[in-house]
């Protein structure tokens, strides 16, 4: 598989060979059950930053495959076996028939986090897991996912229902408000993305969403611009942001998301 041609030309050069090998290994493990491999997250939204961003990938399989196959896939893609050149790999495997229909559930068969800047995790059961990350990721995938293998992303990944998506966005804002385990700049920039989505119905890259919020909300402009400057640095060199201002901003974000959710019920 040539990383310089085909769908891999749509992703940054720094990760093309890695993604080509990821697809090759996934095909080798899953065989004919594999129906799609889709680049999502910052890769899909055109704002991947090498050394800061994760590589986000969605895999679709028919079957579902056996537990042994899923464990084999997790092992084959582990950072120790396939070093990730990005901050880390966040890969989610879904049943193809689940991904084709709108859902507010997590629904995954495998949730794999691996890489130099990520705590290693391979989860095989979504029971009890928060669903909001997966719902939002599938919405981004439907909108802009890059099909590295298989049909175009909108044909194989359904966008969630508006009520399910807004519930997921509200849960995401609550998670970032808590702050545990999240860089301050990501808390602010993901808040910007949430507000812009609620206003426009489209997902934007973090910096593009931040630009819209900074232009429209003078009170928050210094904080948002500081978050962008921090985001443009490596994770290890992220800038501190004032906690009270971050919390005030996320309180404002939550109010905007709540307004959008209430409008769905009107």
């Amino acid at each position: 598989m040539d990383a310089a041609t085909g769908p891999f030309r749509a992703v940054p050069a720094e990760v093309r060979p890695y993604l080509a090998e990821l697809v090759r290994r996934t095909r080798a493990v899953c065989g004919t059950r594999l129906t799609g491999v889709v680049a999502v997250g910052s890769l899909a939204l055109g704002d991947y930053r090498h050394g800061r961003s994760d590589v986000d990938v969605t895999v679709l399989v028919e079957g579902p495959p056996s537990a042994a196959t899923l464990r084999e896939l997790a092992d084959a893609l582990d950072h120790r076996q396939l070093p990730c050149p990005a901050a880390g790999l966040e890969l989610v495997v879904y049943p193809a028939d689940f991904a084709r229909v709108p859902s507010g559930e997590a629904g995954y068969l495998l949730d794999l986090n691996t890489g130099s800047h990520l705590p290693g995790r391979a989860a095989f059961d979504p029971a009890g897991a928060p669903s909001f990350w997966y719902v939002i990721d599938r919405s981004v995938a439907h909108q802009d996912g890059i099909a590295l293998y298989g049909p175009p992303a909108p044909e194989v990944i359904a966008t969630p229902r508006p009520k399910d998506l807004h519930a997921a966005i509200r849960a995401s804002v609550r998670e970032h408000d808590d702050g545990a385990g999240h860089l301050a700049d990501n808390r602010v920039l993901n808040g910007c993305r949430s507000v812009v989505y609620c206003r426009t119905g489209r997902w934007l890259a973090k910096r593009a969403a931040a630009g819209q919020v900074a232009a429209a909300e003078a009170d928050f402009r210094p904080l948002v611009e500081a978050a962008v400057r921090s985001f443009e640095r490596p994770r290890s060199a992220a800038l501190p942001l004032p906690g009270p201002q971050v919390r005030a901003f996320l309180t404002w974000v939550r109010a905007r998301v709540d307004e959008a959710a209430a409008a769905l019920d009107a």
Side-chain angles (χ1 to χ4, degrees):
M1 185 174 298
D2 188 351
T5 61
F8 298 98
R9 288 179 297 180
V11 297
E14 298 95 330
V15 295
R16 286 175 194 163
Y18 172 76
L19 288 169
E21 178 62 14
L22 182 149
V23 171
R24 189 195 69 77
R25 293 188 180 205
T26 303
R27 292 180 68 182
V29 172
C30 297
T32 58
R33 292 186 183 275
L34 182 66
T35 59
V37 180
V38 180
V40 297
S42 60
L43 292 172
L45 293 172
D47 199 28
Y48 173 83
R49 293 201 65 256
H50 200 57
R52 163 54 85 110
S53 301
D54 299 320
V55 167
D56 298 283
V57 175
T58 294
V59 173
L60 309 170
V61 291
E62 301 284 359
S66 67
T69 298
L70 293 168
R71 285 193 293 271
E72 182 182 355
L73 180 62
D75 290 341
L77 302 181
D78 187 279
H79 182 66
R80 292 166 294 185
Q81 302 297 325
L82 178 62
C84 181
L89 169 68
E90 295 187 352
L91 178 137
V92 182
V93 179
Y94 293 109
D97 57 353
F98 170 84
R100 290 189 191 105
V101 297
S103 175
E105 302 300 319
Y108 62 78
L109 298 170
L110 167 63
D111 181 15
L112 175 67
N113 285 1
T114 187
S116 59
H117 293 279
L118 288 182
R121 175 177 184 268
F124 301 92
D125 184 358
S131 63
F132 61 89
W133 294 122
Y134 310 96
V135 175
I136 292 171
D137 282 351
R138 292 197 300 270
S139 179
V140 172
H142 179 85
Q143 176 188 292
D144 283 322
I146 301 169
L148 303 176
Y149 175 81
E155 295 181 12
V156 292
I157 303 176
T159 191
R161 300 177 186 89
K163 285 188 177 182
D164 288 335
L165 184 52
H166 279 80
I169 295 170
R170 293 171 77 181
S172 170
V173 175
R174 288 195 299 270
E175 168 83 6
H176 284 89
D177 199 16
D178 176 68
H182 299 287
L183 290 172
D185 54 25
N186 268 331
R187 295 168 66 196
V188 172
L189 298 180
N190 278 327
C192 292
R193 288 206 317 168
S194 296
V195 168
V196 170
Y197 180 84
C198 288
R199 288 176 171 174
T200 68
R202 285 197 62 80
W203 294 106
L204 296 186
K206 291 176 181 176
R207 288 182 289 184
Q212 288 199 13
V213 172
E217 307 295 336
D219 290 347
F220 295 118
R221 187 175 303 142
L223 175 68
V224 171
E225 290 177 345
V228 171
R229 289 194 296 272
S230 177
F231 178 72
E232 290 173 344
R233 299 162 66 96
R235 289 192 183 198
S236 59
L239 300 173
L241 300 178
Q245 292 183 31
V246 173
R247 289 190 292 273
F249 176 72
L250 291 173
T251 297
W252 174 83
V253 170
R254 188 166 59 250
R256 305 289 78 74
V257 175
D258 287 346
E259 288 172 0
L264 295 174
D265 298 323

